[in-house]
Amino acid sequence: RDSNCMAEALSDSGSANAPTIESVRESLIRQEDTIVFGLIERARFPINSPTYSASYAKIPGFTGSLAQFVAHETEALQAKAGRFTSPEENPFFPKDLPASLVPSQNHTGVLHPSAASININKSIWDFYFDKLLALFAVPGDDGNYAATAASDLVCLQALSRRIHYGKFVAEVKFKESPKEYEPAIRAKNRDALMKLLTVESVEEAVKKRVAKKAMVFGQEVTLNSTDGSNGKYKVDPSVLSRLYAEWVMPLTKLVQVEYLLRRLD
Ligand SMILES: C=C(O[C@@H]1C=C(C(=O)O)C=C[C@H]1O)C(=O)O
């Protein structure tokens, strides 16, 4: 099976195509590329703070910032195109989302149905704008607010997909050893579940790999120099390890715990 096609793989029917811990981890690794490239694209612009100010935007018929407006309206269009019928996609503005207008895809049930009730995009939105952005975008204002908002949404959606992928990780882990998970689920013991699903060696490797990807993808490519990067990268590699250590992995694990707690409902 083509390992780049996790979405297709997860949609396949039949247990022969059921995800494995390897296939799920492969997808998480590939999604790192999307996240690193997304941050590199956003880092082309300075912070551009008017993008986040409701008093700047004053959009007729909409209360909120330009960033909120672009996310809200883009999601409405994407919903009509069927984006959120995929169990891998979770909207930031789930209220009043228009229905899909396209023929429905056959997303067969890999996940327990209660997975649909898990959406932690509010936390993702908050850490992205309140903490992360200032770590990789330089201070300043170049007036490119619409492009800035669009590029923020690309980052947010990539982070959201990665973090909510914890649902699939948890499903695979549960299927591999139900007897270990069941008592902790019945006891609603979050700490025990967190311990069971945590693999520190994998987390260490993730932190190192995303920093390395920031170096490889974010170097200046030139034709006639021996060291194109000169140690300068479009996004500081340490920001990538910090993003994963402080937010992405803890939130992915939170999604896993939330999913497991509902797994026997
Ligand atoms: C995703 C997994 O579960 C946990 C979360 C990880 C992550 O978010 O990258 C990594 C290791 C585990 O502690 C996994 O085991 O691969």
Side-chain angles (χ1 to χ4, degrees), residues 21 24-26 28 32 162-163 165-166 169-170 173 194-204 206-207 209 244 247-254 256:
I21 190 68
V24 161
R25 283 187 177 143
E26 245 170 53
L28 291 178
E32 292 165 5
R162 196 286 181 198
I163 288 165
Y165 212 77
V169 181
K173 289 182 179 175
M194 192 59 98
K195 258 214 190 87
L196 280 171
L197 62 82
T198 295
V199 187
E200 258 154 40
S201 59
V202 171
E203 294 188 22
E204 284 311 307
V206 169
K207 281 186 262 176
R209 191 175 48 246
Y244 269 73
W247 297 295
V248 173
M249 295 197 292
L251 290 175
T252 303
K253 294 202 287 183
L254 174 66
Q256 293 188 58

Side-chain angles (χ1 to χ4, degrees), residues 49-185:
S49 56
T51 314
Y52 315 113
S53 148
S55 57
Y56 165 79
K58 292 205 201 68
I59 296 159
F62 185 85
T63 313
S65 66
L66 188 60
Q68 287 169 320
F69 179 69
V70 167
H72 186 270
E73 299 296 301
T74 304
E75 282 193 341
L77 168 64
Q78 292 176 336
K80 290 194 245 177
R83 180 178 184 126
F84 302 108
T85 61
S86 162
E88 293 182 34
E89 300 287 350
N90 295 270
F92 284 86
F93 295 91
K95 263 205 270 152
D96 321 315
L97 261 194
S100 169
L101 302 178
V102 301
S104 63
Q105 295 281 315
N106 194 15
H107 295 293
T108 52
V110 169
L111 299 179
H112 187 279
S114 65
S117 69
I118 302 168
N119 181 334
I120 61 162
N121 275 338
K122 171 84 175 75
S123 310
I124 297 172
W125 183 280
D126 289 346
F127 88 70
Y128 179 85
F129 288 115
D130 298 345
K131 311 262 173 62
L132 181 65
L133 192 54
L135 299 179
F136 74 99
V138 297
D141 185 334
D142 69 2
N144 285 310
Y145 310 140
T148 296
S151 121
D152 283 324
L153 182 59
V154 169
C155 293
L156 285 166
Q157 289 186 322
L159 289 165
S160 174
R161 198 179 313 115
R162 196 286 181 198
I163 288 165
H164 288 97
Y165 212 77
K167 297 174 188 179
F168 293 95
V169 181
E171 175 60 25
V172 161
K173 289 182 179 175
F174 175 83
K175 276 268 174 56
E176 276 186 355
S177 33
K179 292 284 156 289
E180 280 183 55
Y181 282 99
E182 274 167 19
I185 295 171

Side-chain angles (χ1 to χ4, degrees), residues 198-261:
T198 295
V199 187
E200 258 154 40
S201 59
V202 171
E203 294 188 22
E204 284 311 307
V206 169
K207 281 186 262 176
K208 289 196 186 128
R209 191 175 48 246
V210 291
K212 186 167 179 184
K213 284 182 177 179
M215 291 184 198
V216 174
F217 302 161
Q219 61 190 304
E220 207 53 65
V221 176
T222 58
L223 290 179
N224 50 12
S225 98
T226 45
D227 174 18
S229 66
N230 292 322
K232 266 201 76 198
Y233 305 104
K234 291 169 183 170
V235 170
D236 181 351
S238 72
V239 169
L240 260 299
S241 355
R242 190 166 161 202
L243 162 63
Y244 269 73
E246 285 186 30
W247 297 295
V248 173
M249 295 197 292
L251 290 175
T252 303
K253 294 202 287 183
L254 174 66
V255 168
Q256 293 188 58
V257 169
E258 293 298 330
Y259 180 83
L260 289 165
L261 286 171

